[in-house]
Amino acid sequence: MRKLAVWWLFASVCCLASVTTVEAQERGKFKKNLSIKPKKSEKENPNFPSQTPVQEPDEEFEQEPSNLRFNNQFEPKKEVNPVVAEDTSTIDEGEPAVVEYIDSVQVGDDWVKIADYYAIWDPHNVDPYGIDPLQFDEVLDLKLYDPGENRYWSAPTVDGKVTSMFGPRWGRWHKGMDLDLETGDPVYAAFDGIVRVSGWDGGGFGRYILLRHYNGLETVYGHLSKALVESGQLIKAGDQIGLGGSTGRSSGSHLHFETRYEGNPFSPTFVYDFPTNSLISDHFILTASVWDYLRGKSVNLSGFKPRYKRTVLHRVRSGETLTSIARRYGLSASTLARKNHLSTRSRIRPGQKLRVH
């Protein structure tokens, strides 16, 4: 009888251990099984949350800025947002939901709204829009910069000296402002944006860059000797985008700077005060008046007058050196050499003309 009791107790312990092991194994399988699928009714419900893991903001995201590709062109939502019909078979008389879709791409730590840039995306043409500015009848308040949103502004050149204004010139219309610089001087992005065009126009701009900005404005930088950015590249205000030059239709080194909206140029003096190299305001109210010059009306240059440039040349005399000439005009030898595209070790000859101012 004792043996029978011992045998029964031993069988009970083994059975309990077996059940516990099976349950533990089943729990382990459940924990490791990540392929559990929602019910069919849940998958068909558009309100059922996606099972796709969401990328955390602090995760690294590598992006090749110059190789951005998108399957479609994105149109900004200017009309009433689309009405999406819901499946009301499982809810009580649900009303249609008005939703807005915002497509974004992550570049570094920033999420950029694609529709803000890709309404019409053409990396080859300055004006692909085909919009007549004389039909413009809106009043748009364009925010130029916002430190709270980490969006800033910059002057396109270091000193902002104007050598030619926006307006009629040599029998045709000059659609930008010419800013003084030397070949090789830095050129900076005016506002945050994306490079839409980095190209060449031999009969006009020469080597040039066109930036599209958050607020819909576009800026053009022409006659560059070198472009340092590519189409599709994300740019922050003040980033160096190129080097000054005299390429294309140009008679001397300078930066041809334009401001455009929907492909149509207007005077940069509505936005910038170039004698002080500053912005007029943090907002720009865009109205049809900026294109009054196309109606034969006088151009509003905001009271600014053209600035003229005087060049001072020194004729080298026998026995003079770069150092002695530079000292005479209060310059360093390296500055004098750079003004004349020389090396400090270059030899100068009597009768040679050197630019000193």
Side-chain angles (χ1 to χ4, degrees), residues 260-281:
R260 291 175 174 249
Y261 191 81
E262 294 181 332
N264 296 296
F266 59 89
S267 175
T269 57
F270 285 104
V271 178
Y272 276 96
D273 175 2
F274 281 112
T276 62
N277 225 12
S278 61
L279 282 186
I280 295 174
S281 173

Side-chain angles (χ1 to χ4, degrees), residues 114-294:
I114 296 171
D116 286 354
Y117 293 105
Y118 293 89
I120 295 178
W121 188 257
D122 186 332
H124 305 292
N125 298 306
V126 173
D127 182 11
Y129 305 97
I131 296 176
D132 182 0
L134 298 180
Q135 302 300 317
F136 187 87
D137 59 356
E138 300 180 69
V139 176
L140 300 179
D141 183 358
L142 304 181
K143 199 167 192 177
L144 298 178
Y145 68 94
D146 185 354
E149 295 291 332
N150 195 32
R151 296 178 182 175
Y152 299 92
W153 70 275
S154 170
T157 60
V158 173
D159 53 22
K161 293 181 180 178
V162 178
T163 59
S164 184
M165 295 290 287
F166 181 96
R169 187 181 69 174
W170 304 331
R172 59 192 216 166
W173 203 269
H174 184 227
K175 298 179 180 179
M177 296 187 71
D178 290 345
L179 305 177
D180 185 34
L181 50 65
E182 298 296 326
T183 298
D185 284 352
V187 173
Y188 304 107
F191 306 102
D192 297 355
I194 287 182
V195 180
R196 182 162 71 78
V197 184
S198 179
W200 173 266
D201 174 18
F205 294 128
R207 193 178 310 281
Y208 73 100
I209 293 167
L210 185 149
L211 302 182
R212 183 168 174 82
H213 305 291
Y214 286 94
N215 51 21
L217 284 177
E218 292 186 323
T219 50
V220 181
Y221 310 76
H223 305 315
L224 304 176
S225 60
K226 185 177 182 179
L228 303 179
V229 294
E230 299 177 353
S231 179
Q233 187 171 338
L234 182 69
I235 298 296
K236 299 295 288 183
D239 284 352
Q240 185 175 343
I241 59 175
L243 302 178
S246 184
T247 57
R249 188 183 179 93
S250 171
S251 58
S253 59
H254 67 277
L255 174 68
H256 176 83
F257 179 71
E258 292 186 2
T259 49
R260 291 175 174 249
Y261 191 81
E262 294 181 332
N264 296 296
F266 59 89
S267 175
T269 57
F270 285 104
V271 178
Y272 276 96
D273 175 2
F274 281 112
T276 62
N277 225 12
S278 61
L279 282 186
I280 295 174
S281 173
D282 62 340
H283 284 256
F284 170 49
I285 306 300
L286 176 67
T287 67
S289 64
V290 301
W291 292 293
D292 277 349
Y293 69 93
L294 297 175

Side-chain angles (χ1 to χ4, degrees), residues 22-37:
V22 170
E23 290 178 350
Q25 289 174 345
E26 290 300 323
R27 285 197 298 270
K29 289 180 180 179
F30 181 86
K31 183 177 181 180
K32 295 179 181 179
N33 186 358
L34 301 181
S35 62
I36 296 175
K37 300 179 180 178

Side-chain angles (χ1 to χ4, degrees), residues 7-27:
W7 178 87
W8 181 85
L9 179 61
F10 177 78
S12 299
V13 171
C14 291
C15 181
L16 179 61
S18 176
V19 172
T20 303
T21 301
V22 170
E23 290 178 350
Q25 289 174 345
E26 290 300 323
R27 285 197 298 270

Side-chain angles (χ1 to χ4, degrees), residues 42-62:
E42 293 174 335
K43 290 194 294 183
E44 292 176 348
N45 188 346
N47 296 317
F48 188 79
S50 171
Q51 299 297 319
T52 304
V54 178
Q55 182 179 342
E56 294 296 330
D58 58 349
E59 290 183 23
E60 293 186 358
F61 184 88
E62 296 184 0

